[in-house]
Amino acid sequence: MYTLGIETSCDETSAAVVLDGKKLLSNEVASSLAAHQKFGGIVPEIAFRRQLETISEVSCSALSRARVSLRRIGLISVTSGPGLLGSLCVGVSFAKSLSLALGCPLIGVNHIHSHIYAAVLSNKDIRLPFVSLVVSGGHTSLFYVRDFDRIELLGHTQDDACGESFDKVAKILGLGYPGGPAIEKVALRGDGKRYRFRCSGTKSPLNFSFSGIKTAVLYKVAGRRLKPLEKYDIAASFQRSVIDALIEKSLTACRMKKASSLVIGGGVVANMELRRSFSRVFARQGLSCYFPRKDLSTDNAAMVAGLGSVLYKKGHVSGLDLVPTTA
Ligand code: KG4
Ligand code: ZN
Protein backbone atom coordinates (compact mmCIF):
# COMPACT_ATOMS: atom_id res chain seq x y z
CA MET A 1 0.00 0.00 0.00
CA TYR A 2 1.19 3.49 -0.86
CA THR A 3 1.01 6.05 1.96
CA LEU A 4 1.20 9.79 1.42
CA GLY A 5 2.76 11.49 4.46
CA ILE A 6 2.25 15.18 5.31
CA GLU A 7 4.36 17.03 7.89
CA THR A 8 3.85 20.69 8.86
CA SER A 9 4.53 20.80 12.61
CA CYS A 10 7.08 23.64 12.60
CA ASP A 11 8.65 25.61 9.72
CA GLU A 12 8.97 22.80 7.15
CA THR A 13 6.33 21.77 4.60
CA SER A 14 7.01 18.18 3.70
CA ALA A 15 5.28 15.40 1.73
CA ALA A 16 6.50 11.86 1.12
CA VAL A 17 5.40 8.58 -0.42
CA VAL A 18 6.28 5.33 1.36
CA LEU A 19 5.44 1.81 0.16
CA ASP A 20 4.31 -0.75 2.78
CA GLY A 21 5.70 1.34 5.64
CA LYS A 22 9.31 0.57 4.69
CA LYS A 23 10.27 1.62 1.18
CA LEU A 24 10.84 5.34 0.82
CA LEU A 25 9.88 6.48 -2.70
CA SER A 26 10.05 10.24 -2.26
CA ASN A 27 10.50 12.86 0.45
CA GLU A 28 10.10 16.52 -0.48
CA VAL A 29 10.92 19.19 2.10
CA ALA A 30 10.41 22.95 1.66
CA SER A 31 11.66 25.11 4.50
CA SER A 32 10.76 28.72 5.30
CA LEU A 33 13.88 29.00 7.46
CA ALA A 34 15.42 31.88 5.50
CA ALA A 35 12.34 34.03 6.23
CA HIS A 36 12.75 33.47 10.01
CA GLN A 37 16.50 33.93 10.30
CA LYS A 38 16.46 37.69 10.81
CA PHE A 39 14.13 37.17 13.79
CA GLY A 40 16.50 34.65 15.43
CA GLY A 41 13.80 31.96 15.67
CA ILE A 42 10.62 30.62 14.08
CA VAL A 43 7.77 33.15 13.66
CA PRO A 44 4.57 31.00 13.66
CA GLU A 45 2.60 33.42 11.47
CA ILE A 46 5.26 33.36 8.73
CA ALA A 47 5.56 29.57 8.99
CA PHE A 48 1.91 28.74 8.45
CA ARG A 49 1.37 31.32 5.71
CA ARG A 50 4.27 29.78 3.79
CA GLN A 51 2.87 26.28 4.41
CA LEU A 52 -0.52 27.30 3.02
CA GLU A 53 1.21 28.57 -0.12
CA THR A 54 3.44 25.53 -0.68
CA ILE A 55 1.62 22.42 0.55
CA SER A 56 -0.12 21.55 -2.76
CA GLU A 57 3.04 21.98 -4.81
CA VAL A 58 5.19 20.01 -2.35
CA SER A 59 2.65 17.16 -2.32
CA CYS A 60 2.45 17.09 -6.13
CA SER A 61 6.21 16.88 -6.42
CA ALA A 62 6.37 14.06 -3.83
CA LEU A 63 3.86 12.10 -5.93
CA SER A 64 5.59 12.75 -9.23
CA ARG A 65 9.05 11.93 -7.85
CA ALA A 66 7.63 8.65 -6.50
CA ARG A 67 5.89 8.04 -9.88
CA VAL A 68 2.67 7.28 -8.01
CA SER A 69 -0.62 8.88 -9.02
CA LEU A 70 -2.95 10.26 -6.36
CA ARG A 71 -5.51 7.55 -7.20
CA ARG A 72 -3.09 4.82 -6.08
CA ILE A 73 -2.63 6.32 -2.59
CA GLY A 74 -4.19 3.99 0.01
CA LEU A 75 -3.62 6.05 3.18
CA ILE A 76 -3.04 9.69 4.13
CA SER A 77 -0.83 10.04 7.22
CA VAL A 78 -0.42 13.47 8.80
CA THR A 79 1.36 14.94 11.82
CA SER A 80 -1.41 15.93 14.23
CA GLY A 81 0.85 17.20 17.05
CA PRO A 82 2.71 18.36 18.97
CA GLY A 83 3.75 21.50 17.09
CA LEU A 84 2.69 25.03 16.17
CA LEU A 85 -1.12 25.23 16.02
CA GLY A 86 -1.42 27.22 12.78
CA SER A 87 1.13 25.01 11.02
CA LEU A 88 -0.52 21.79 12.19
CA CYS A 89 -3.92 23.09 11.04
CA VAL A 90 -2.58 23.55 7.50
CA GLY A 91 -1.34 19.95 7.27
CA VAL A 92 -4.32 18.37 9.01
CA SER A 93 -6.89 20.31 6.93
CA PHE A 94 -5.06 19.46 3.71
CA ALA A 95 -4.87 15.76 4.71
CA LYS A 96 -8.58 15.68 5.60
CA SER A 97 -9.55 17.21 2.25
CA LEU A 98 -7.48 14.64 0.36
CA SER A 99 -8.89 11.78 2.40
CA LEU A 100 -12.45 12.96 1.73
CA ALA A 101 -11.86 13.58 -1.98
CA LEU A 102 -10.08 10.26 -2.56
CA GLY A 103 -12.26 8.24 -0.21
CA CYS A 104 -9.15 6.81 1.44
CA PRO A 105 -8.41 6.46 5.17
CA LEU A 106 -6.71 9.14 7.26
CA ILE A 107 -4.39 8.74 10.24
CA GLY A 108 -2.99 11.43 12.53
CA VAL A 109 0.41 10.60 14.04
CA ASN A 110 2.46 11.95 16.93
CA HIS A 111 5.40 14.03 15.72
CA ILE A 112 7.82 12.86 18.42
CA HIS A 113 7.00 9.20 17.81
CA SER A 114 7.51 9.73 14.08
CA HIS A 115 11.09 10.89 14.77
CA ILE A 116 11.71 7.40 16.22
CA TYR A 117 10.44 5.85 12.98
CA ALA A 118 12.96 7.83 10.88
CA ALA A 119 15.70 5.41 12.02
CA VAL A 120 13.52 2.40 11.11
CA LEU A 121 13.29 3.68 7.51
CA SER A 122 17.08 3.92 7.47
CA ASN A 123 18.04 0.58 9.12
CA LYS A 124 16.59 -2.77 8.10
CA ASP A 125 17.85 -4.63 11.19
CA ILE A 126 16.11 -2.71 14.03
CA ARG A 127 14.18 -5.15 16.23
CA LEU A 128 11.54 -4.38 18.87
CA PRO A 129 11.65 -3.69 21.76
CA PHE A 130 14.22 -0.92 22.12
CA VAL A 131 14.95 2.26 24.04
CA SER A 132 14.63 5.46 22.03
CA LEU A 133 16.05 8.93 22.54
CA VAL A 134 14.38 11.82 20.70
CA VAL A 135 16.40 15.05 20.67
CA SER A 136 14.69 17.82 18.74
CA GLY A 137 14.17 21.56 18.88
CA GLY A 138 11.01 21.25 20.95
CA HIS A 139 11.43 17.95 22.84
CA THR A 140 13.97 15.74 24.54
CA SER A 141 12.58 12.40 25.65
CA LEU A 142 13.51 8.82 26.41
CA PHE A 143 11.03 6.10 25.49
CA TYR A 144 10.70 2.36 25.79
CA VAL A 145 9.24 1.14 22.50
CA ARG A 146 7.54 -2.28 22.87
CA ASP A 147 5.73 -1.61 19.59
CA PHE A 148 4.81 1.53 17.66
CA ASP A 149 1.46 1.74 19.42
CA ARG A 150 2.96 0.80 22.80
CA ILE A 151 5.46 3.58 23.48
CA GLU A 152 6.21 4.28 27.15
CA LEU A 153 7.67 7.65 28.17
CA LEU A 154 10.66 7.07 30.48
CA GLY A 155 11.96 10.61 30.89
CA HIS A 156 11.78 14.10 29.44
CA THR A 157 13.38 17.50 29.75
CA GLN A 158 12.42 19.56 32.77
CA ASP A 159 13.17 22.86 31.03
CA ASP A 160 14.75 23.58 27.60
CA ALA A 161 14.82 20.97 24.85
CA CYS A 162 18.24 19.82 23.66
CA GLY A 163 18.00 21.50 20.23
CA GLU A 164 16.65 24.63 21.91
CA SER A 165 19.78 24.77 24.09
CA PHE A 166 21.98 24.58 20.95
CA ASP A 167 19.89 27.41 19.46
CA LYS A 168 20.17 29.57 22.59
CA VAL A 169 23.91 29.00 23.08
CA ALA A 170 24.51 29.80 19.40
CA LYS A 171 22.61 33.06 19.91
CA ILE A 172 24.78 33.91 22.95
CA LEU A 173 27.89 33.23 20.85
CA GLY A 174 26.51 35.28 17.91
CA LEU A 175 26.43 32.26 15.58
CA GLY A 176 22.91 32.75 14.14
CA TYR A 177 19.89 30.47 13.76
CA PRO A 178 19.47 27.50 13.72
CA GLY A 179 22.13 27.00 16.34
CA GLY A 180 22.77 23.25 16.10
CA PRO A 181 24.56 23.17 12.73
CA ALA A 182 26.38 26.45 13.57
CA ILE A 183 27.72 25.09 16.87
CA GLU A 184 28.73 21.79 15.27
CA LYS A 185 30.67 23.65 12.58
CA VAL A 186 32.71 25.91 14.88
CA ALA A 187 33.16 23.15 17.49
CA LEU A 188 35.25 21.27 14.91
CA ARG A 189 37.89 23.97 15.36
CA GLY A 190 37.63 24.12 19.16
CA ASP A 191 38.90 22.20 22.20
CA GLY A 192 36.00 20.48 23.95
CA LYS A 193 38.05 19.96 27.11
CA ARG A 194 38.96 23.62 27.69
CA TYR A 195 35.85 24.56 29.71
CA ARG A 196 33.99 22.37 32.17
CA PHE A 197 30.31 23.00 31.54
CA ARG A 198 27.93 20.43 32.99
CA CYS A 199 24.24 19.69 32.47
CA SER A 200 22.35 20.10 35.77
CA GLY A 201 21.39 17.03 37.76
CA THR A 202 17.76 15.89 37.83
CA LYS A 203 15.74 14.09 40.48
CA SER A 204 14.76 11.33 38.08
CA PRO A 205 17.87 9.79 36.43
CA LEU A 206 16.02 9.68 33.10
CA ASN A 207 14.96 13.33 33.00
CA PHE A 208 17.05 16.07 31.38
CA SER A 209 17.89 19.68 32.17
CA PHE A 210 19.60 22.02 29.71
CA SER A 211 18.79 25.50 30.98
CA GLY A 212 21.64 25.50 33.57
CA ILE A 213 24.35 24.79 31.01
CA LYS A 214 22.98 27.56 28.77
CA THR A 215 23.20 29.98 31.73
CA ALA A 216 26.77 28.80 32.47
CA VAL A 217 27.74 29.71 28.89
CA LEU A 218 25.97 33.06 29.26
CA TYR A 219 28.02 33.84 32.42
CA LYS A 220 31.23 32.74 30.71
CA VAL A 221 30.56 35.14 27.83
CA ALA A 222 29.06 37.91 30.03
CA GLY A 223 29.06 40.65 27.39
CA ARG A 224 32.77 40.18 26.53
CA ARG A 225 34.08 40.31 22.97
CA LEU A 226 35.36 36.78 22.50
CA LYS A 227 38.41 35.90 20.44
CA PRO A 228 37.45 33.40 17.70
CA LEU A 229 39.34 30.52 19.33
CA GLU A 230 37.67 31.18 22.67
CA LYS A 231 34.29 31.03 20.94
CA TYR A 232 35.18 27.73 19.24
CA ASP A 233 36.35 26.26 22.57
CA ILE A 234 33.12 27.31 24.33
CA ALA A 235 31.03 25.79 21.53
CA ALA A 236 33.04 22.55 21.58
CA SER A 237 32.94 22.30 25.40
CA PHE A 238 29.16 22.93 25.48
CA GLN A 239 28.56 20.35 22.74
CA ARG A 240 30.80 17.80 24.53
CA SER A 241 28.91 18.16 27.83
CA VAL A 242 25.49 17.88 26.20
CA ILE A 243 26.50 14.74 24.30
CA ASP A 244 27.99 13.21 27.48
CA ALA A 245 24.72 13.84 29.36
CA LEU A 246 22.63 12.31 26.54
CA ILE A 247 24.86 9.21 26.48
CA GLU A 248 24.78 8.76 30.25
CA LYS A 249 20.96 8.97 30.45
CA SER A 250 20.48 6.70 27.42
CA LEU A 251 22.79 4.06 28.89
CA THR A 252 20.91 4.23 32.20
CA ALA A 253 17.60 3.75 30.35
CA CYS A 254 18.96 0.74 28.42
CA ARG A 255 20.21 -0.82 31.68
CA MET A 256 16.92 -0.17 33.49
CA LYS A 257 14.87 -1.71 30.69
CA LYS A 258 17.47 -4.43 29.93
CA ALA A 259 17.38 -3.27 26.30
CA SER A 260 20.18 -4.17 23.92
CA SER A 261 19.59 -1.37 21.44
CA LEU A 262 18.99 2.35 21.30
CA VAL A 263 17.27 4.17 18.43
CA ILE A 264 17.89 7.94 18.19
CA GLY A 265 15.78 10.52 16.36
CA GLY A 266 15.23 14.28 16.09
CA GLY A 267 17.09 17.23 14.59
CA VAL A 268 20.05 17.07 16.99
CA VAL A 269 20.96 13.58 15.75
CA ALA A 270 22.13 15.29 12.53
CA ASN A 271 25.20 16.16 14.66
CA MET A 272 28.12 13.98 13.54
CA GLU A 273 30.06 14.31 16.80
CA LEU A 274 26.98 13.01 18.64
CA ARG A 275 26.78 10.03 16.25
CA ARG A 276 30.48 9.20 16.61
CA SER A 277 30.35 9.45 20.43
CA PHE A 278 27.21 7.31 20.82
CA SER A 279 28.56 4.67 18.40
CA ARG A 280 31.88 4.47 20.26
CA VAL A 281 30.42 4.22 23.78
CA PHE A 282 27.57 1.87 22.88
CA ALA A 283 29.87 -0.48 20.94
CA ARG A 284 32.17 -0.63 23.97
CA GLN A 285 29.17 -1.66 26.10
CA GLY A 286 28.12 -4.32 23.57
CA LEU A 287 24.91 -2.41 22.73
CA SER A 288 23.56 -1.44 19.30
CA CYS A 289 22.86 2.16 18.43
CA TYR A 290 20.81 3.23 15.39
CA PHE A 291 20.47 6.62 13.70
CA PRO A 292 18.29 7.89 10.86
CA ARG A 293 19.82 8.88 7.52
CA LYS A 294 21.11 12.42 8.01
CA ASP A 295 18.37 13.98 5.84
CA LEU A 296 15.70 12.16 7.89
CA SER A 297 17.00 13.57 11.21
CA THR A 298 15.24 16.91 10.93
CA ASP A 299 11.51 17.23 10.24
CA ASN A 300 10.29 15.28 7.20
CA ALA A 301 7.15 13.53 5.97
CA ALA A 302 8.84 10.18 5.24
CA MET A 303 8.82 9.28 8.93
CA VAL A 304 5.15 10.37 9.17
CA ALA A 305 4.14 8.17 6.22
CA GLY A 306 6.11 5.22 7.62
CA LEU A 307 4.72 5.41 11.14
CA GLY A 308 1.15 6.05 9.90
CA SER A 309 1.34 2.99 7.70
CA VAL A 310 2.47 0.73 10.58
CA LEU A 311 -0.23 2.08 12.91
CA TYR A 312 -2.94 1.66 10.25
CA LYS A 313 -1.89 -1.95 9.75
CA LYS A 314 -2.40 -2.44 13.48
CA GLY A 315 -5.97 -1.17 13.18
CA HIS A 316 -5.57 2.51 14.09
CA VAL A 317 -7.35 5.15 12.03
CA SER A 318 -8.55 8.75 12.47
CA GLY A 319 -11.83 10.37 11.50
CA LEU A 320 -12.54 13.72 9.87
CA ASP A 321 -12.90 15.07 13.42
CA LEU A 322 -9.09 14.80 13.84
CA VAL A 323 -7.93 17.89 15.78
CA PRO A 324 -4.30 19.08 16.02
CA THR A 325 -2.75 19.03 19.49
CA THR A 326 -0.04 21.51 20.39
CA ALA A 327 1.51 19.66 23.37
O1 KG4 B 1 13.48 17.70 14.84
P1 KG4 B 1 13.68 19.09 14.35
O2 KG4 B 1 13.95 19.29 12.90
O3 KG4 B 1 12.44 19.99 14.71
C1 KG4 B 1 11.69 19.81 15.88
O4 KG4 B 1 10.86 18.87 15.91
O5 KG4 B 1 11.95 20.58 16.81
O6 KG4 B 1 14.86 19.70 15.23
C2 KG4 B 1 15.35 21.00 15.06
C3 KG4 B 1 16.47 21.21 16.06
C4 KG4 B 1 16.95 22.66 16.14
O7 KG4 B 1 16.98 23.06 17.50
C5 KG4 B 1 18.36 22.58 15.55
O8 KG4 B 1 19.27 23.53 16.10
C6 KG4 B 1 18.77 21.16 15.89
O9 KG4 B 1 17.60 20.39 15.71
N1 KG4 B 1 19.84 20.68 15.01
C7 KG4 B 1 21.08 20.33 15.43
C8 KG4 B 1 21.82 20.02 14.26
N2 KG4 B 1 20.99 20.15 13.18
C9 KG4 B 1 19.78 20.55 13.65
N3 KG4 B 1 21.61 20.29 16.66
C10 KG4 B 1 22.91 19.94 16.77
N4 KG4 B 1 23.69 19.64 15.70
C11 KG4 B 1 23.19 19.66 14.44
N5 KG4 B 1 23.97 19.37 13.41
ZN1 ZN C 1 10.74 17.39 14.80
Side-chain angles (χ1 to χ4, degrees), residues 105-118:
L106 169 76
I107 185 157
V109 305
N110 178 292
H111 179 68
I112 311 172
H113 294 175
S114 68
H115 271 301
I116 303 172
Y117 202 83

Side-chain angles (χ1 to χ4, degrees), residues 2 8 13 23 69 72 81 95 113 128 147 183 222-223 225 251 258 295 324 326:
Y2 293 105
T8 60
T13 310
K23 195 168 180 334
S69 68
R72 291 167 71 202
H113 294 175
L128 291 159
D147 206 335
I183 294 219
R225 267 181 88 88
L251 277 177
K258 297 187 174 44
D295 62 316
T326 51

Side-chain angles (χ1 to χ4, degrees), residues 122-142:
S122 315
N123 301 276
K124 299 272 171 284
D125 47 346
I126 293 180
R127 298 282 171 269
L128 291 159
F130 53 77
V131 166
S132 182
L133 170 70
V134 177
V135 269
S136 72
H139 297 87
T140 304
S141 312
L142 273 164

Side-chain angles (χ1 to χ4, degrees), residues 84-304:
L84 303 172
L85 185 60
S87 295
L88 290 167
C89 280
V90 175
V92 168
S93 306
F94 185 77
K96 281 184 186 179
S97 321
L98 275 182
S99 154
L100 194 61
L102 298 172
C104 83
L106 169 76
I107 185 157
V109 305
N110 178 292
H111 179 68
I112 311 172
H113 294 175
S114 68
H115 271 301
I116 303 172
Y117 202 83
V120 178
L121 282 175
S122 315
N123 301 276
K124 299 272 171 284
D125 47 346
I126 293 180
R127 298 282 171 269
L128 291 159
F130 53 77
V131 166
S132 182
L133 170 70
V134 177
V135 269
S136 72
H139 297 87
T140 304
S141 312
L142 273 164
F143 298 101
Y144 185 55
V145 183
R146 287 188 177 82
D147 206 335
F148 288 98
D149 58 351
R150 290 168 67 208
I151 299 180
E152 177 193 350
L153 180 67
L154 302 175
H156 57 87
T157 181
Q158 297 176 172
D159 38 59
D160 292 347
C162 187
E164 185 182 359
S165 75
F166 272 85
D167 295 333
K168 287 181 174 171
V169 165
K171 199 167 186 175
I172 294 167
L173 295 176
L175 297 173
Y177 182 86
I183 294 219
E184 177 175 20
K185 191 165 166 222
V186 302
L188 286 173
R189 301 160 77 176
D191 173 7
K193 296 200 184 96
R194 177 157 170 202
Y195 299 107
R196 274 189 61 80
F197 298 122
R198 271 187 68 81
C199 291
S200 320
T202 53
K203 223 173 185 182
S204 155
L206 300 184
N207 277 353
F208 300 88
S209 170
F210 296 104
S211 75
I213 190 168
K214 167 206 66 194
T215 310
V217 172
L218 186 66
Y219 284 148
K220 177 64 69 190
V221 174
R224 288 188 301 126
R225 267 181 88 88
L226 299 174
K227 296 195 186 79
L229 197 58
E230 217 175 345
K231 201 181 266 193
Y232 304 157
D233 289 346
I234 292 176
S237 303
F238 160 77
Q239 180 177 273
R240 181 75 265 141
S241 306
V242 169
I243 293 172
D244 287 347
L246 294 174
I247 290 177
E248 186 195 317
K249 306 263 174 181
S250 303
L251 277 177
T252 306
C254 287
R255 281 192 203 110
M256 282 170 77
K257 299 309 275 188
K258 297 187 174 44
S260 59
S261 49
L262 175 77
V263 171
I264 315 185
V268 183
V269 78
N271 188 293
M272 294 311 290
E273 183 55 30
L274 180 148
R275 289 175 181 236
R276 276 191 294 272
S277 305
F278 266 90
S279 298
R280 200 172 45 236
V281 175
F282 272 66
R284 230 187 280 143
Q285 301 284 331
L287 301 170
S288 308
C289 190
Y290 298 98
F291 312 101
R293 252 168 45 182
K294 202 171 172 201
D295 62 316
L296 299 185
S297 302
T298 45
D299 291 348
N300 66 85
M303 62 191 192
V304 178

